[in-house]
Amino acid sequence: QVQLVESGGGSVQAGESLRLSCATSGFTLDDYAIAWFRQAPGKEREGVSSFRTKDGSIYHADSVKGRFTIFSLSGQNTVYLQMNNLKPEDTAVYYCAAARQPFKRGANWLDAAHYAHWGQGTQVTVSS
């Protein structure tokens, strides 16, 4: 059974950093893409970053390029989202999601419709 458990959320000041963790189980990480999405109150869910361990493919939303990094460590079944220089507009519930690979050619890796498995979410609050 595919399971995703997020942790690492919290409240920080603008300009500070947080590292979110997505602990995965029940599947082989190399067979899936793992993505982070976020949803702020009153807004649609937004794809933030996506990562495939098999070949290191990475995609970031324009809003987080240069500030967020997605990665995993060799031998671990955890995918991290390192968030630097956080801004108040980054405030949201952050979700980890998994999608079995491969995607069709040209697919948008940050489209939530591709992801069948989701974690419960972790709150990130950034104050100015």
Side-chain angles (χ1 to χ4, degrees):
Q1 181 180 357
V2 173
Q3 288 192 321
L4 306 168
V5 180
E6 303 97 333
S7 61
S11 297
V12 296
Q13 299 285 323
E16 295 184 341
S17 299
L18 278 175
R19 179 177 291 183
L20 305 183
S21 300
C22 174
T24 72
S25 62
F27 63 99
T28 301
L29 196 54
D30 278 356
D31 294 336
Y32 282 72
I34 303 297
W36 287 93
F37 291 82
R38 66 187 181 186
Q39 190 165 20
K43 294 188 177 182
E44 293 187 356
R45 189 167 295 192
E46 173 192 19
V48 174
S49 301
S50 182
F51 174 64
R52 184 167 64 191
T53 60
K54 186 173 184 178
D55 60 6
S57 296
I58 294 175
Y59 296 86
H60 291 296
D62 288 343
S63 58
V64 305
K65 282 181 180 176
R67 300 189 299 123
F68 290 13
T69 304
I70 185 170
F71 65 98
S72 66
L73 299 176
S74 179
Q76 294 187 8
N77 292 325
T78 299
V79 177
Y80 301 93
L81 184 69
Q82 178 67 41
M83 306 185 295
N84 297 328
N85 190 22
L86 282 161
K87 303 176 180 181
E89 52 263 43
D90 294 318
T91 295
V93 178
Y94 282 71
Y95 298 90
C96 176
R100 190 166 181 84
Q101 290 295 286
F103 287 140
K104 291 182 179 179
R105 184 184 295 273
N108 178 2
W109 285 50
L110 298 179
D111 184 347
H114 295 312
Y115 293 83
H117 309 283
W118 293 81
Q120 81 288 351
T122 185
Q123 176 71 45
V124 172
T125 303
V126 185
S127 56
S128 58

